[in-house]
Structure formats: structure tokens, C-alpha cells
Amino acid sequence: MQPTSNINRPPNTPPIAALTGEPLERLQAIITRHLGDEGPLLPILHDVQAEWGMIPEAAQPVIAEALGMSRAEIHGVVSFYHDFRQEPAGRHVLRLCRAEACQSMGADALAEQVRRALGLDWHETTPDGRLTLEPVFCLGLCACGPSAQLDDRLVGRATTEKLVALAGGVR
């Protein structure tokens, strides 16, 4: 990979490697598919993440140029939405609800206990790449708080024991 233009990059920051060849073609196909859409950025980002499991930093300037936006604008959107990743997640993702309804039902204590039991902090992945722990702001199970989600499985009235057992089943 060749470095792209790194104008306005902070000093001592490594250059962004450019996408070339087949990965660049895949990205351009995704962008082209959405260019005629109204508000194409989010659909493009969702498709890029579906393709690579994350939004590669090298894809952001390509998307920015295609949409007439700055890299900072693309980065701002990617970093704002919790569903977008800038690094690959583990094969399984455990999300703990951090919204007010779950907090009122003990979500803060649950989160601390689960983090300690799994040995993970927010957005961290186990060394074997099997499990990533993430905060999420509402899973829609407000009446069953605290709530969590392991991959596609929703868990209401979550307890440390229940979540650690579920996590252990995927490790």
C-alpha cells in the first residue's frame, strides 16, 4: 500500500495507507451503489462495515472525496455512532445497556461487575479475538432492565452470572 496525502495530519502521526487494487474497487462499488441516494453517507458506511467488519481508516478519505466532504466530517460520523467500528470486533459482541431506564435498575453496578469478571473494559476484545464488550444506549428492553445483548440475543433482567455464563459459552 502506498501512503495517501497526509496534509494537515498532526506531527508524529503515521500516514494513512491508501486502499489499492481489489479493496479499492470494492469500496468504489459500494460508493457508486449509493451516489444517487439522498443522504448516501450512512448507507455507504453501513455497507463498508458489512464488507470489512469495520470502517477502515484508509476508506474514509476515499468516501470523503466521493461525497465532497472532508475526512474530518467522515471521521466525525464514524466516531459518533456506536454501531460503526474503526477496529475489528471480536467474533462475538456483548453489549450492555447504559441508558437511564437500565441505570435505574442497577446497570452501572452490573457493568462494573461484568467488566471485572471478563477482564475487559469498554470496546476491548479478548486476546483470542472471541469477545468484544461494548456500551450501548438503549436496547428497547426498558421494562426488563438492566438489559444486554450478546450478538443477536437480547437479555432482559440481566445479571452478572447470566452474562458471564453467556460470554463463557462463546469463549
Side-chain angles (χ1 to χ4, degrees):
M1 291 194 202
Q2 304 164 354
T4 63
S5 168
N6 290 292
I7 299 171
N8 299 326
R9 288 193 62 81
N12 303 319
T13 302
I16 299 172
L19 285 179
T20 59
E22 188 259 338
L24 179 59
E25 291 172 14
R26 289 173 24 215
L27 176 60
Q28 289 171 330
I30 290 169
I31 292 169
T32 300
R33 212 170 32 243
H34 294 288
L35 276 180
D37 298 349
E38 185 175 332
L41 178 57
L42 291 179
I44 289 169
L45 293 175
H46 281 289
D47 284 359
V48 168
Q49 184 154 298
E51 182 77 18
W52 282 287
M54 60 183 253
I55 312 292
E57 185 178 6
Q60 295 179 31
V62 177
I63 296 167
E65 184 176 335
L67 298 179
M69 299 174 76
S70 71
R71 285 192 342 226
E73 289 173 300
I74 303 302
H75 176 76
V77 171
V78 170
S79 62
F80 176 79
Y81 289 104
H82 70 267
D83 283 336
F84 293 132
R85 305 177 189 292
Q86 296 180 70
E87 301 201 8
R91 287 185 286 287
H92 302 279
V93 178
L94 176 61
R95 293 180 176 90
L96 301 181
C97 183
R98 309 296 294 135
E100 290 79 4
C102 284
Q103 285 181 26
S104 72
M105 297 301 292
D108 289 340
L110 174 67
E112 184 58 37
Q113 292 165 4
V114 169
R115 288 170 47 206
R116 194 175 13 213
L118 297 177
L120 293 174
D121 203 352
W122 299 122
H123 307 288
E124 287 185 349
T125 301
T126 56
D128 62 6
R130 288 194 184 264
L131 182 69
T132 297
L133 181 63
E134 295 185 342
V136 65
F137 291 89
C138 197
L139 291 167
L141 294 174
C142 301
C144 301
S147 62
Q149 182 179 18
L150 180 63
D151 298 330
D152 292 331
R153 180 180 178 178
L154 293 170
V155 180
R157 295 182 180 84
T159 64
T160 302
E161 295 77 21
K162 190 185 298 186
L163 296 179
V164 168
L166 285 172
V170 299
R171 287 179 121 181

